[in-house]
Amino acid sequence: IRNSKLKGIKIPELAEPIKVTLFADDTLVYTTEEDDLNILDNILQTFCLASTAKFNKEKTEIMPIGTTTFRQNLINSKEMNNYTFDKGINIIKDGQPMRTLGAWIGNKITIDEQWNKILEKQKQIIKLWETSRPTLRGKELLSKSLVQSRAMYLATVNTMPQHIEYQMTKLIKNFLWNNKKRGLLDKPYTYAPTALGGLNMPNLKARLEAIKITWLRRYLTTSDRPSWAYVADAILANNVTKKPTTEHKSCISWALQNWHESARKDAQIPIQLKEIINTARKYNIGLDGRQLSLETLNQLPIWNHLAATNNYLWNKKSS
């Protein structure tokens, strides 16, 4: 597929277009509306013939991306560039989440249903263990290993909504204090290590914050940078503030330049990316152009340079 004539998705700063990603038996193919999908069909048929494998069309899903008009036309016509999709293939509609590698993706989606299933399972686990009247130490271990752990993967790949965080925190608190309105210790002491007189209970808010910082670190890394980080750069560059005026082509890196993403409600920035950027601002992550060596300054993108004096005070990213 990578060596085929399929165009794939071209991302600025990436040498090769993204055509396919593979993990175990999961395969995602990325095409444009100009691609001839008969080429993909031929590749898959050749692979199946050589390997004796067979693709399960009932599990094959098409996720349209792009403008609302393009997505609706594809969903209604089941055609793209004179290619008609087979009847057994599911085309994902707006508002319908699609699962890939445990994450839920889609256009205009919410995943409250998935979070509610996790909350319900956590309640069942707590109800089961409450009958054994566990000690405080036992509740700490159970809360970490059987309750909070069920939510961490989805929180990592999809982020956790605030109302779900509130419900989950309350659930663990009620488990700790046997559903009493007030506990025997203030909240900070329940989270503190036992060596400091605390109960070492799981701090969900701190855990979620650590996840955001981990994503931020991966986004900002310069060595072996993941492909998604370049996709994030492109999304941010397509949603720049109107003032001060910034030329789109000059927006290369959110972290290494002084332009900013739009805060408008209609800005097309995924919530996961917004949380990464907000975390960077919260901890004042940024380069201070006035403190860098001349050698380092010369290596930065020349357009929207961080050391530009007239823009520095406006730069919200620097502390």
Side-chain angles (χ1 to χ4, degrees):
I1 292 175
R2 291 193 177 101
N3 295 327
S4 70
K5 292 183 179 180
L6 293 173
K7 292 184 178 180
I9 299 178
K10 184 69 179 74
I11 304 298
E13 306 303 315
L14 271 183
E16 299 292 333
I18 300 176
K19 294 185 179 182
V20 62
T21 55
L22 304 100
F23 185 84
D25 61 344
D26 267 6
T27 303
L28 288 175
V29 180
Y30 306 86
T31 64
T32 70
E33 58 182 326
E34 299 174 354
D35 277 322
D36 182 0
L37 296 187
N38 288 302
I39 296 175
L40 178 60
D41 263 356
N42 292 333
I43 293 172
L44 297 180
Q45 288 173 12
T46 302
F47 171 80
C48 291
L49 183 64
S51 65
T52 68
K54 184 178 180 180
F55 274 85
N56 190 342
K57 289 188 178 181
E58 292 182 357
K59 291 185 177 181
T60 302
E61 296 177 308
I62 306 294
M63 170 67 71
I65 59 175
T67 64
T68 303
T69 302
F70 170 77
R71 298 197 306 267
Q72 289 303 319
N73 286 341
L74 191 149
I75 292 169
N76 294 333
S77 66
K78 299 186 183 299
E79 293 183 357
M80 188 177 80
N81 195 18
N82 297 321
Y83 177 90
T84 303
F85 295 104
D86 292 341
K87 292 183 178 180
I89 295 178
N90 180 32
I91 301 179
I92 305 298
K93 300 176 182 179
D94 283 12
Q96 178 184 354
M98 181 182 86
R99 189 175 187 181
T100 173
L101 299 180
W104 296 90
I105 61 175
N107 299 295
K108 302 178 180 179
I109 64 168
T110 60
I111 57 169
D112 282 355
E113 180 182 350
Q114 287 72 25
W115 279 117
N116 289 334
K117 289 179 180 178
I118 291 175
L119 283 170
E120 190 58 36
K121 187 63 179 178
Q122 289 173 328
K123 291 175 183 178
Q124 292 174 6
I125 292 171
I126 288 175
K127 185 178 180 179
L128 176 65
W129 281 94
E130 277 179 334
T131 58
S132 66
R133 303 175 68 86
T135 63
L136 292 176
R137 171 65 172 159
K139 289 179 179 180
E140 174 216 331
L141 295 175
L142 290 168
S143 297
K144 289 179 178 177
S145 61
L146 298 181
V147 181
Q148 180 181 261
S149 61
R150 289 190 168 272
M152 286 302 98
Y153 183 78
L154 188 57
T156 301
V157 296
N158 273 99
T159 75
M160 182 183 292
Q162 286 188 350
H163 68 281
I164 298 295
E165 178 188 340
Y166 172 79
Q167 292 180 61
M168 204 169 293
T169 300
K170 185 177 180 181
L171 184 66
I172 295 173
K173 169 185 170 291
N174 289 341
F175 177 47
L176 175 62
W177 301 122
N178 299 320
N179 295 307
K180 293 179 182 178
K181 188 174 181 180
R182 293 184 62 84
L184 300 178
L185 291 174
D186 289 337
K187 187 182 292 185
Y189 288 102
T190 64
Y191 299 146
T194 52
L196 298 178
L199 298 179
N200 204 26
M201 289 294 288
N203 187 338
L204 183 58
K205 182 177 288 293
R207 188 68 180 272
L208 296 176
E209 192 76 359
I211 290 173
K212 295 173 189 176
I213 292 173
T214 301
W215 279 112
L216 175 62
R217 183 183 64 183
R218 295 178 65 186
Y219 171 65
L220 295 177
T221 187
T222 55
S223 59
D224 195 23
R225 197 169 189 231
S227 299
W228 68 262
Y230 294 98
V231 176
D233 282 339
I235 291 174
L236 292 172
N238 282 327
N239 292 274
V240 181
T241 52
K242 293 185 177 181
K243 292 183 180 181
T245 304
T246 306
E247 187 177 351
H248 176 264
K249 292 181 180 179
S250 68
C251 297
I252 300 172
S253 171
W254 178 90
L256 300 179
Q257 294 177 291
N258 62 18
W259 54 269
H260 298 273
E261 80 290 351
S262 173
R264 292 166 58 94
K265 290 183 178 180
D266 59 350
Q268 297 179 339
I269 303 176
I271 182 63
Q272 294 90 337
L273 185 51
K274 285 182 179 179
E275 292 200 353
I276 290 175
I277 299 306
N278 290 337
T279 302
R281 288 207 172 93
K282 179 178 179 179
Y283 294 101
N284 292 320
I285 302 299
L287 294 175
D288 186 344
R290 300 173 297 181
Q291 303 296 326
L292 300 176
S293 66
L294 182 60
E295 180 182 359
T296 302
L297 289 172
N298 287 336
Q299 293 176 0
L300 294 173
I302 188 171
W303 307 113
N304 307 302
H305 202 283
L306 279 175
T309 307
N310 62 331
N311 285 323
Y312 179 76
L313 294 177
W314 182 81
N315 189 345
K316 295 181 290 184
K317 292 197 289 286
S318 297
S319 59

